[in-house]
Amino acid sequence: MKILSIETSCDETGVSIIEGMEHNITVCGNALASQVDIHEKYGGVFPALAKRAHGEKIITLLAEALDQAGMLHVETSPISDDLKKEIFECCKHEGILAQKIIEFVETHGVPTVEYIAVTSGPGLEPALWVGINTAKALSIAWNIALIPINHMEGHVLVSLMQEVAEKKYSLLSLTPPALALLVSGGHTELVLIHDYARYEKIGHTRDDAVGEAFDKVARMLGLPYPGGPAISNLAAQFRKTKHENQYIFPRPMMHSGDYDFSYSGIKTAVLYKIKEMPEISQDQKMAIAAAFEDAAIEVLVAKTLRAISHYHIAMLIVGGGVAGNTYLRAQLIHAVQNQFPQVTVLFPQRWLATDNSVMIAIAAYTRAIKGAIESQPLESIKADGNLSITDGGYRK
Ligand code: KG4
Ligand code: ZN
């Protein structure tokens, strides 16, 4: 089964094609464009600019992904005026995108994919709509069923991919009761997974997400956006040479007795510390980055361990951009192996930790093989910026 997927929820535009045969996955095509340089000067994602950049790049990425998959066939394939009208109607808020899509489909053959999958939320709604409307237009033009996918479910399920060879993966089976630690720029959540698509949120951040805190602290230290990798690199340099840190930041809600998080307090503590300092040397930056990362990660690890114990977890899945953090990986794997050696710990492949469209295809494929795809009218597929992972259970 082949699936074409589109992701535009935030600041990465992605188009992928995967082929699945039972548990074997081939990533046939994957084209990803980052908008980091566009948003860098704002220190965060600017929705109107994100929308524009997605619209500018998406058809080029579609062609690139199809080409990699050997599915880009140049041929004249005119479509009817009625179909053109429908495409214009569904992309009426996307500027010249409808025209670009029509030009593309009229000059290329229909790819042999069973489904088109697209992120419908959560994320920035103007950005999400670009992907959704492109996917709807392609679904209409090619007569291929469209599946809306929850971005966070993508982050969870992509961690089940184990690399076996270049572009070839084996999709592990979920072992319930599983626990997902979802850590990204917009989310910090602990989610129980009772079965495929049966999610129960047990904790979440009450203010900032952990990735957002990394980004904000990076900005305070004059480091580039996104801040996660920059902070993490400085912190690693500090730990290589020093053992004692003069800075210590709070661990909010560490002993709150629940599974909620709070990251705005750590960020404010860093801000006050920096304000006290007339200037900051490179060594001090490294020490502050390490102290911040220590605090941020310690709370994640402590709450995750508590949930593993309380819910008798068999499999821990970490997902989202912050899952790419080397220190989190090391600390969590070490602690779980020590305290719960029977628990399988899964992190995403590094290139699949931050936003990408392969994860959207994997979530769609999982639904397809579970027989959980329901045909739904295109009009009912909408962007939902606040979509929760608990919203989209399979109807059995
Ligand atoms: O999942 P993602 O790509 O986008 C969202 O859905 O939010 O996550 C992006 C977030 C950013 O806040 C970024 O700073 C953070 O993930 N991030 C990291 C690392 N790589 C990315 N945070 C800590 N350490 C990293 N290595
Ligand atoms: Zn994400």
Side-chain angles (χ1 to χ4, degrees):
M1 177 192 301
K2 290 186 183 139
I3 295 177
L4 185 150
S5 61
I6 296 178
E7 154 68 37
T8 64
S9 68
C10 191
D11 58 349
E12 309 280 339
T13 321
V15 181
S16 306
I17 293 125
I18 67 155
E19 177 167 19
M21 288 223 317
E22 297 179 356
H23 290 284
N24 301 311
I25 304 285
T26 307
V27 177
C28 309
N30 181 44
L32 188 70
S34 170
Q35 303 174 5
V36 162
D37 46 347
I38 297 173
H39 303 293
E40 203 166 12
K41 50 184 169 298
Y42 305 98
V45 182
F46 201 82
L49 293 182
K51 170 187 159 95
R52 195 171 75 192
H54 287 307
E56 281 168 3
K57 287 188 193 141
I58 197 157
I59 299 304
T60 311
L61 297 171
L62 171 68
E64 198 180 315
L66 287 171
D67 193 22
Q68 288 173 20
M71 290 186 191
L72 188 70
H73 303 301
V74 177
E75 63 182 53
T76 310
S77 40
I79 56 171
S80 71
D81 287 347
D82 282 352
L83 281 188
K84 282 185 196 166
K85 232 190 254 163
E86 273 189 70
I87 292 172
F88 273 114
E89 182 55 29
C90 87
C91 295
K92 64 180 177 226
H93 300 299
E94 312 302 337
I96 59 159
L97 187 57
Q99 192 54 45
K100 285 205 223 168
I101 294 171
I102 291 169
E103 265 169 41
F104 184 84
V105 298
E106 290 207 308
T107 49
H108 296 89
V110 181
T112 50
V113 299
E114 273 84 346
Y115 294 105
I116 299 173
V118 67
T119 309
S120 62
L124 305 167
E125 289 190 3
L128 286 162
W129 275 118
V130 178
I132 292 173
N133 288 334
T134 303
K136 283 185 182 181
L138 295 174
S139 165
I140 293 167
W142 291 336
N143 194 23
I144 296 173
L146 179 61
I147 314 172
I149 291 294
N150 183 311
H151 178 88
M152 299 315 288
E153 184 171 45
H155 273 307
V156 172
L157 296 176
V158 82
S159 294
L160 296 172
M161 282 172 79
Q162 304 293 299
E163 191 170 19
V164 287
E166 202 193 348
K167 297 184 185 168
K168 304 263 183 210
Y169 297 84
S170 163
L171 197 60
L172 292 184
S173 297
L174 187 73
T175 318
L179 177 72
L181 171 65
L182 293 176
V183 278
S184 72
H187 290 79
T188 309
E189 291 178 352
L190 278 167
V191 178
L192 277 183
I193 311 177
H194 299 288
D195 196 353
Y196 287 98
R198 281 189 53 223
Y199 300 105
E200 179 191 349
K201 212 180 278 181
I202 55 169
H204 65 106
T205 180
R206 298 197 180 166
D207 40 58
D208 292 353
V210 60
E212 187 181 355
F214 268 91
D215 294 335
K216 288 178 176 166
V217 169
R219 203 167 181 205
M220 293 172 202
L221 292 174
L223 302 170
Y225 172 83
I231 296 267
S232 183
N233 287 339
L234 278 189
Q237 284 176 43
F238 177 86
R239 290 190 199 101
K240 249 192 226 160
T241 50
K242 307 259 179 8
H243 300 291
E244 293 276 305
N245 198 331
Q246 67 185 110
Y247 304 108
I248 294 177
F249 295 119
R251 272 91 169 132
M253 301 191 66
M254 178 97 151
H255 304 291
S256 58
D258 57 18
Y259 299 105
D260 282 352
F261 301 91
S262 165
Y263 277 97
S264 82
I266 309 186
K267 171 197 74 188
T268 311
V270 177
L271 181 67
Y272 286 152
K273 180 52 70 189
I274 291 173
K275 278 193 170 159
E276 275 171 16
M277 301 163 75
E279 56 189 79
I280 314 180
S281 68
Q282 186 61 14
D283 278 354
Q284 285 169 323
K285 271 190 192 179
M286 280 164 36
I288 290 174
F292 164 74
E293 194 177 57
D294 282 345
I297 301 294
E298 196 176 315
V299 187
L300 290 179
V301 173
K303 297 239 165 176
T304 304
L305 293 176
R306 228 167 62 79
I308 290 175
S309 163
H310 183 81
Y311 293 98
H312 308 290
I313 294 301
M315 177 179 263
L316 170 66
I317 300 177
V318 188
V322 185
N325 182 282
T326 309
Y327 192 63
L328 171 65
R329 280 185 192 228
Q331 295 295 105
L332 202 50
I333 289 172
H334 178 76
V336 175
Q337 277 172 354
N338 263 339
Q339 296 182 40
F340 307 100
Q342 75 284 8
V343 173
T344 308
V345 185
L346 299 176
F347 274 83
Q349 307 283 320
R350 268 178 207 282
W351 68 280
L352 296 170
T354 48
D355 290 350
N356 64 84
S357 44
V358 172
M359 68 188 206
I360 304 308
I362 292 296
Y365 178 67
T366 307
R367 289 196 169 229
I369 56 175
K370 299 279 161 204
I373 303 239
E374 293 157 48
S375 74
Q376 71 185 96
L378 288 187
E379 315 80 77
S380 71
I381 299 178
K382 294 192 163 72
D384 180 351
N386 296 318
L387 189 67
S388 165
I389 194 161
T390 54
D391 287 341
Y394 304 166
R395 264 179 240 144
K396 293 249 163 90

